[in-house]
Amino acid sequence: MAATTTNGNNDDVRTRSQQSPLASQRAKESNAPTEENRKGKSGGFFTLGYKEGFSQWWANVPAAVAEHAVLSYIPYLQKPPTHTQTGSAPPSINNSSMPVSDTPDREAIPVRTNSIADPFGPRQWQSQLVKLSGKDRALNEFSIERLDEPKDQDLVILHGYGAGLGFFYKNFEGLSRVPGWKVYALDLLGMGRSSRPPFRLHSKDRQRSISEAEDWFVDALEEWRVKKNLDRFTLLGHSLGGYMAVAYALKFPGHLNKLILASPVGIPEDPYAVNAEMPDPSSSTLTNEVYQDQDATMNGSNPNIPGSAKTAGDNNNFLNARSKAQKASSSGDETTPSAPRRPLPKWLTYLWDANISPFSIVRWSGPLGPRFVSGWTSRRFSHLPPEEAQALHTYAYSLFRQRGSGEYALAYILAPGAFARSPLIRRIQGVGRQMIAPSGSATSSVAVAQRRRESGYPVVLMYGEQDWMDINGGYAAEQKINEERARVLKSATTEERQTDRGGAKCLIIKKAGHHVYLDGWEEFNEVLRQEMMDVSRRTKRVETRQ
């Protein structure tokens, strides 16, 4: 099955003169790894020196300040709006919480760029905290809206495990160029600068525990959608965000125009992952800081990485997929043990099964925390200009040391090795084919006669050329989605055939690893713009027929 390769270079290459002076000054004042350290001249895996690490720990930069510094690198936006309702105070040693402030002075005033300073403007940039029902439930939101033109489409972006919306700083400007679109980026509940309520599961049943963990995120996304009064939108999810995007599409049908999965985790099936033991739900409470782990030893996807380091894939994430699913399928072994040999070291699987998060280690390590984080950031951001890499290091550390919350869901969703306990390949063919009740829920008790089925929508799977995530899972998902479409259309009426919008395709972003949006941001942005314009064209055709 051939993949569709797209290559776009319409995004301008930004020079330092176009970067924010505010961001450059903050980068110089930060204590993130220097260019010399990032090249490994300081020696060792943790490139940040002890003195630098202690200085950064002592500086205790709040997450709001760190996010603001990263967003300052967005072209044409030198002073990004940044609300301080969360992440405005540095986490203390005794209580690393992220309190939510309701005072108006903590809210951010939207920033407008005019068409003189912004050649793709005018645009409005906004940062806000969207309150949800219940105690300590709120989502951090960053949005860009085009002004002086009608808005008829929305793009919602979800980040990966432990990350934050700031990691998409290379994409916001490029994606918000498309006429008629408003772009939203959200921090998942319990991650980034969203509120961090205690993560608790109540069921001891395996499948129900998985569903509870998924619902913890997707229920918050659906409530946010209702509050923003979005009827239909395009959803983009990276890694864990991609997994949650699929879970959302299946639980809350009828609201998506297109689903875009950027190197999504959890598609392939692995015998160990679907049979391995689950953590005890009682250990998921905030009172116990013993949670899941992921391998934080990462290598950059830039050309300076030796070829030998890429044979196992690009390890640019906390998850280390050391064993690809296709190796097992190509071995010719027809016997599948209930729980085959674990592909990861015993110490790693022990920490994972004990639900110890890498961020817990960062929090426990005190002054050594920045040094530990530098082992990842110095490699993950080595292809970026030094000032941007420094800002991202500070941003990552400011998020990693916050109170543990949504990070604790991972052990219930994935087994060691980044394979899902409930693989998406078993259910992804149902995306865009769910029954919809008048309430918009797939689980409504409304009689079947009163319900209708979704008429499908495009699903785009994107992977980096050096992605460690199993692209064969993407091809398998593409095939299952297209086969389901063919099966449905076989018995469909002429009208149903004409209105069906389903189908899937798999794209490769060149010179990119798992973080396709950052490694290959120019091509990524061009591909996304084309997909967004495709949604606009499809919508207009539907409106014309009506």
Side-chain angles (χ1 to χ4, degrees):
M1 188 181 304
T4 302
T5 304
T6 314
N7 186 12
N9 297 301
N10 289 350
D11 275 300
D12 299 330
V13 178
R14 307 300 171 198
T15 63
R16 292 188 182 180
S17 61
Q18 293 175 301
Q19 296 169 352
S20 165
L22 174 62
S24 299
Q25 180 63 28
R26 284 180 174 162
K28 292 178 182 178
E29 295 174 353
S30 73
N31 293 297
T34 63
E35 173 67 10
E36 181 176 291
N37 282 350
R38 286 183 21 239
K39 290 183 178 179
K41 294 183 179 180
S42 63
F45 178 80
F46 303 113
T47 58
L48 191 67
Y50 288 103
K51 183 177 180 180
E52 288 178 300
F54 179 85
S55 297
Q56 186 177 14
W57 171 78
W58 185 261
N60 218 2
V61 176
V65 174
E67 179 187 278
H68 180 86
V70 171
L71 297 183
S72 295
Y73 284 97
I74 299 176
Y76 318 118
L77 182 68
Q78 296 188 357
K79 294 182 179 180
T82 307
H83 76 79
T84 55
Q85 293 176 269
T86 56
S88 59
S92 65
I93 298 177
N94 297 323
N95 181 18
S96 58
S97 64
M98 187 178 280
V100 177
S101 173
D102 293 323
T103 56
D105 62 310
R106 299 282 190 175
E107 298 176 358
I109 299 176
V111 173
R112 294 193 176 193
T113 54
N114 57 44
S115 56
I116 298 176
D118 180 359
F120 299 98
R123 291 181 279 195
Q124 178 170 286
W125 314 71
Q126 186 166 5
S127 168
Q128 61 181 321
L129 189 71
V130 181
K131 301 289 185 64
L132 305 179
S133 62
K135 183 179 180 182
D136 296 330
R137 295 179 73 249
L139 296 185
N140 182 34
E141 172 199 301
F142 185 75
S143 64
I144 312 100
E145 182 175 7
R146 300 183 60 81
L147 303 177
D148 299 339
E149 63 183 44
K151 181 191 79 71
D152 49 20
Q153 298 291 344
D154 299 278
L155 173 68
V156 179
I157 304 174
L158 304 179
H159 61 77
Y161 173 72
L165 59 83
F167 282 86
F168 293 97
Y169 77 105
K170 289 281 194 183
N171 315 112
F172 293 140
E173 190 281 318
L175 298 183
S176 60
R177 296 179 186 180
V178 184
W181 283 75
K182 183 172 183 178
V183 177
Y184 295 92
L186 301 176
D187 282 340
L188 294 172
L189 183 64
M191 295 185 185
R193 282 210 304 133
S194 289
S195 64
R196 295 181 173 238
F199 176 78
R200 296 187 177 94
L201 295 183
H202 302 93
S203 176
K204 291 192 175 183
D205 175 76
R206 180 188 183 83
Q207 190 56 48
R208 289 181 180 177
S209 294
I210 296 172
S211 297
E212 274 191 59
E214 294 176 357
D215 291 349
W216 202 77
F217 295 103
V218 302
D219 288 355
L221 175 59
E222 171 63 6
E223 188 174 350
W224 172 87
R225 181 197 67 80
V226 173
K227 280 185 168 288
K228 305 302 289 189
N229 196 29
L230 301 183
D231 181 28
R232 301 183 70 92
F233 61 98
T234 296
L235 183 57
L236 162 64
H238 170 254
S239 196
L240 181 64
Y243 180 100
M244 292 303 166
V246 174
Y248 175 85
L250 293 174
K251 184 174 182 180
F252 298 105
H255 300 300
L256 296 187
N257 288 321
K258 179 175 286 189
L259 179 62
I260 304 174
L261 308 175
S263 191
V265 73
I267 288 183
E269 183 166 350
D270 176 70
Y272 167 70
V274 298
N275 292 285
E277 294 182 0
M278 301 279 283
D280 188 341
S282 63
S283 68
S284 64
T285 61
L286 191 61
T287 57
N288 187 350
E289 266 278 8
V290 181
Y291 296 95
Q292 92 273 6
D293 183 31
Q294 302 170 337
D295 189 355
T297 57
M298 308 175 186
N299 297 306
S301 61
N302 60 74
N304 296 326
I305 299 298
S308 60
K310 295 181 179 180
T311 56
D314 175 24
N315 297 322
N316 291 339
N317 205 335
F318 292 103
L319 306 175
N320 182 13
R322 297 177 59 189
S323 176
K324 297 291 188 179
Q326 69 269 27
K327 292 183 179 179
S329 61
S330 62
S331 64
D333 185 3
E334 297 296 329
T335 60
T336 304
S338 59
R341 177 176 59 85
R342 299 188 179 194
L344 300 176
K346 290 184 178 180
W347 65 267
L348 180 57
T349 56
Y350 171 79
L351 292 176
W352 189 299
D353 292 338
N355 214 0
I356 296 179
S357 113
F359 311 124
S360 297
I361 298 175
V362 171
R363 291 188 285 267
W364 293 337
S365 59
L368 294 178
R371 180 171 163 82
F372 290 160
V373 174
S374 73
W376 177 63
T377 58
S378 62
R379 292 161 176 79
R380 172 81 287 279
F381 308 131
S382 60
H383 64 296
L384 297 173
E387 297 87 351
E388 295 182 30
Q390 290 176 349
L392 285 169
H393 168 83
T394 303
Y395 176 58
Y397 175 63
S398 72
L399 297 182
F400 295 172
R401 69 179 304 187
Q402 299 295 333
R403 170 194 287 172
S405 178
E407 69 196 64
Y408 302 148
L410 196 72
Y412 299 93
I413 295 171
L414 304 178
F419 289 104
R421 299 185 186 276
S422 178
L424 296 180
I425 195 63
R426 294 181 174 181
R427 41 189 171 139
I428 199 168
Q429 70 275 11
V431 168
R433 304 294 174 186
Q434 301 296 299
M435 296 295 295
I436 312 172
S439 64
S441 170
T443 58
S444 173
S445 59
V446 177
V448 175
Q450 297 178 275
R451 304 170 72 184
R452 61 183 176 86
R453 186 180 296 277
E454 290 180 291
S455 57
Y457 47 79
V459 178
V460 181
L461 298 107
M462 304 174 67
Y463 292 86
E465 189 177 28
Q466 302 293 336
D467 209 319
W468 63 259
M469 201 64 74
D470 187 6
I471 190 174
N472 287 333
Y475 291 146
E478 175 187 16
Q479 182 176 353
K480 290 200 71 171
I481 293 171
N482 290 334
E483 287 178 348
E484 178 65 14
R485 179 175 187 266
R487 187 193 68 80
V488 170
L489 293 183
K490 186 176 294 185
S491 58
T493 64
T494 301
E495 181 181 357
E496 290 172 336
R497 288 173 179 271
Q498 293 176 344
T499 58
D500 190 272
R501 299 177 296 121
K505 62 181 177 181
C506 202
L507 307 178
I508 305 298
I509 302 299
K510 297 178 181 178
K511 297 182 180 180
H514 177 58
H515 294 261
V516 292
Y517 61 92
L518 188 58
D519 298 335
W521 61 273
E522 292 173 289
E523 183 178 352
F524 180 88
N525 288 351
E526 175 60 23
V527 170
L528 259 293
R529 283 196 293 266
Q530 293 298 326
E531 295 298 333
M532 292 163 71
M533 288 188 286
D534 174 69
V535 172
S536 298
R537 289 191 295 268
R538 288 171 181 264
T539 302
K540 289 181 180 179
R541 285 199 296 265
V542 172
E543 292 174 349
T544 301
R545 285 198 298 264
Q546 294 176 346

